[in-house]
Amino acid sequence: DVVMTQSPLSLPVTLGQPASISCRSSQSLVYSDGNTYLNWFQQRPGQSPRRLIYKISNRDSGVPDRFSGSGSSTDFTLKISRVEAEDVGVYYCMQGTHWPYTFGQGTKLEIK
Amino acid sequence: EVQLVQSGAEVKKPGESLKISCKGSGYSFTSYWIGWVRQMPGKGLEWMGIIYPGDSDTRYSPSFQGQVTISADKSISTAYLQWSSLKASDTAMYYCARGINGMDVWGQGTTVTVSS
């Protein structure tokens, strides 16, 4: 299975400050169709996961533009330009290229 | 509105069987894969398997192959996850989600508690 490694696992951030989460895969996530199926999900406390970003850098409908994704092949990053209180939760990267799909361990974002 | 609505919480004893459901609405149910994801208490997300309701093509994660059965009834736009003999270690939240390669719509989750 492809191993997804996130860092940090805990991320205390001051309101209004930026935040960044790294996600590395154990092998390239470039699919045979040329796409790279790297997704980012947010799970707020007590809620279902919600997809924020798909194919590395595409924001889902309704996702604030303070969230952005970047990277390629095995190295990916989720950035929040200015953290707001509603961003508290756990963030997961997930690869949808190689079956079985796999998630990172999760990064818990909290307000400092 | 595109929605996946899951069945309610379940409390079962070890050895019992269980089938939980996930009903899609607001889109063509037969045109999108439906996946199942497990989240054990206080833990992360794990892929279990996916099904394409259009032709019932099903794939299982090796960790869950033989442990659960995924099915779908396209006539009622519903996907299912079932166990023939539950264990205490099956206690978890189970989510269904739409899509392959990346899931854009998630159900609200079904809590399954297995305890003697």
Side-chain angles (χ1 to χ4, degrees), chain A residues 6-23:
Chain A
Q6 289 182 229
S7 63
L9 299 185
S10 178
L11 185 55
V13 184
T14 301
L15 285 173
Q17 293 301 300
S20 180
I21 301 170
S22 169
C23 175

Side-chain angles (χ1 to χ4, degrees), chain A residues 2 4-6 21-25 27-31 35-41 51-58 60 68-78 92-98 102-104, chain B residues 101-103:
Chain A
V2 175
M4 305 296 288
T5 303
Q6 289 182 229
I21 301 170
S22 169
C23 175
R24 289 195 165 93
S25 58
Q27 58 185 275
S28 172
L29 299 186
V30 180
Y31 191 51
N35 289 307
T36 300
Y37 294 104
L38 186 282
N39 305 269
W40 288 97
F41 294 89
R51 193 176 68 180
L52 300 174
I53 302 283
Y54 62 96
K55 289 195 284 186
I56 303 177
S57 60
N58 296 275
D60 273 275
S68 64
S70 62
S72 63
S73 188
T74 62
D75 203 345
F76 307 94
T77 302
L78 176 71
Y92 297 91
C93 59
M94 187 216 99
Q95 65 85 15
T97 296
H98 304 285
T102 44
F103 291 93
Chain B
N101 306 125
M103 303 76 69

